[in-house]
Amino acid sequence: MKIAVLGAGAMGSVYGARLARAGADVTLLDVNADHVAAVSRDGLRVAFDEGEDVVQIRAMSPDEFVGPADLILLFTKVFHTDAALAAIADRIGNAWVLSLQNGVGNAERIAAYVSPDRILVGMTMTPAEFIGPGHVASHGAATTDFYTASGHVDPILDRLANLLQAGRVTARINPDIHAAIWEKAAFNCALNPICALTNGTPGSVGASKDGRALADAVVAEAIAVAKSCGVTASRAHVDDLLAHAYAYHLMHEPSMLQDIKAQRRTEIDALNGAVVALGAQNGIPVPTNRMIAQFIRLAESNACFRATHAT
């Protein structure tokens, strides 16, 4: 299978490496010129639990990509989706597009560039860290649920599941994928911004009575909004995800904390911000998610202010 990974940061590079090791023909596409150059020159250095490996893999900017591809694996930040797909729009052809991005509403964004019956959506709970150009790490279990966005059955599901399994990813073909996406979103709405705002980790939040209470309030609101949208998301499933993170991802720095530290834009609008917007549409009160979204946006604004007024 020819696979183009669009957005080869931490997660995109880790999955690209796993798929390449499984035998896929993988190309990494990213606008980070230093990362692309390092991978092209030295290969992609990846630290897994089973050891470190250097994977020889193509890397280039999206502008250089000529195609074709059987699958485009979309791993950009949600707010870069439009620009990333627009950059290769004339070379997508008949490829499937799989979004494993954070948040909700990704299929709708992709549908502006790809036929709805060629869109796959999913969620992954795989930890990933960008250490430096040409160097990433992933420690912990790699799991991915996915399905066609439209709900129809297609041979691509088994082909992709087999390939992911060969790359040591626990792959689940999940017809109830929209519920799974909302459950992960609720999990991320809790841990990502709480860790970002407190310089914490899943372990430290889980060890705090206040941290757990705040996370529980966020999740309760998010699940209520999901159900108001007709999605049968399970609070119990989210609680299981939180318990696992509290116990086994003790010192992991979630992506939003990494973004805040690096003074980068976060994905708050696709997480808590989306819960707030959909809650308003459907008459569901979400005061905790609203407050957290406001605090994250303030943190982003503060970083921008400091950069603008630095002497």
Side-chain angles (χ1 to χ4, degrees):
M1 188 183 292
K2 293 182 181 294
I3 299 175
V5 180
L6 185 56
M11 195 73 78
S13 292
V14 165
Y15 267 75
R18 287 191 177 278
L19 290 166
R21 296 207 307 177
D25 181 356
V26 178
T27 301
L28 302 181
L29 306 178
D30 204 88
V31 296
N32 183 333
D34 290 340
H35 184 52
V36 166
V39 173
S40 299
R41 183 182 63 248
D42 304 319
L44 178 62
R45 183 180 169 196
V46 192
F48 294 118
D49 287 339
E50 62 267 27
E52 192 162 283
D53 192 11
V54 176
V55 182
Q56 300 303 322
I57 190 170
R58 284 189 304 276
M60 62 188 68
S61 73
D63 291 340
E64 297 174 298
F65 178 66
V66 296
D70 300 307
L71 174 72
I72 295 169
L73 181 51
L74 186 58
F75 262 125
T76 65
K77 294 287 190 180
V78 171
F79 47 81
H80 289 319
T81 295
D82 283 321
L85 287 173
I88 64 166
D90 59 340
R91 285 150 284 157
I92 293 175
N94 202 38
W96 286 85
V97 176
L98 167 60
S99 167
L100 294 178
Q101 298 161 293
N102 285 328
V104 296
N106 291 311
E108 291 77 6
R109 282 181 281 271
I110 295 169
Y113 302 90
V114 180
S115 172
D117 63 2
R118 304 293 290 182
I119 299 173
L120 300 162
V121 290
M123 51 80 70
T124 178
M125 298 302 295
T126 306
E129 180 183 1
F130 188 86
I131 298 173
H135 191 189
V136 295
S138 180
H139 296 294
T143 63
T144 297
D145 287 30
F146 65 98
Y147 209 73
T148 57
S150 63
H152 74 278
V153 178
D154 190 276
I156 189 66
L157 297 171
D158 287 322
R159 289 182 64 200
L160 183 55
N162 291 336
L163 188 60
L164 287 167
Q165 291 286 163
R168 296 192 177 185
V169 177
T170 300
R172 294 182 290 244
I173 300 171
N174 186 351
D176 202 15
I177 191 60
H178 295 291
I181 288 171
W182 262 100
E183 288 160 7
K184 185 193 174 183
F187 166 85
N188 278 336
C189 282
L191 278 190
N192 258 282
I194 292 174
C195 290
L197 291 168
T198 63
N199 194 29
T201 65
S204 66
V205 172
S208 163
K209 181 179 178 181
D210 289 330
R212 283 177 176 262
L214 188 56
D216 288 346
V218 169
V219 169
E221 293 175 4
I223 293 297
V225 170
K227 290 182 176 178
S228 76
C229 295
V231 179
T232 56
S234 165
R235 171 67 188 270
H237 288 172
V238 183
D239 287 343
D240 288 344
L241 294 175
L242 287 171
H244 182 84
Y246 293 154
Y248 297 104
H249 296 168
L250 295 178
M251 300 305 294
H252 173 65
E253 290 195 354
S255 59
M256 195 172 291
L257 172 57
Q258 296 177 41
D259 289 339
I260 289 294
K261 284 185 171 181
Q263 299 184 359
R264 294 189 297 256
R265 182 180 176 184
T266 74
E267 292 185 302
I268 194 67
D269 290 332
L271 293 168
N272 307 75
V275 170
V276 172
L278 291 169
Q281 289 178 20
N282 298 334
I284 306 297
V286 290
T288 312
N289 278 273
R290 184 182 301 279
M291 176 190 66
I292 283 180
Q294 289 172 326
F295 273 124
I296 289 292
R297 292 187 186 114
L298 177 59
E300 292 177 337
S301 177
N302 287 346
C304 182
F305 182 89
R306 286 195 297 270
T308 302
H309 293 82
T311 56

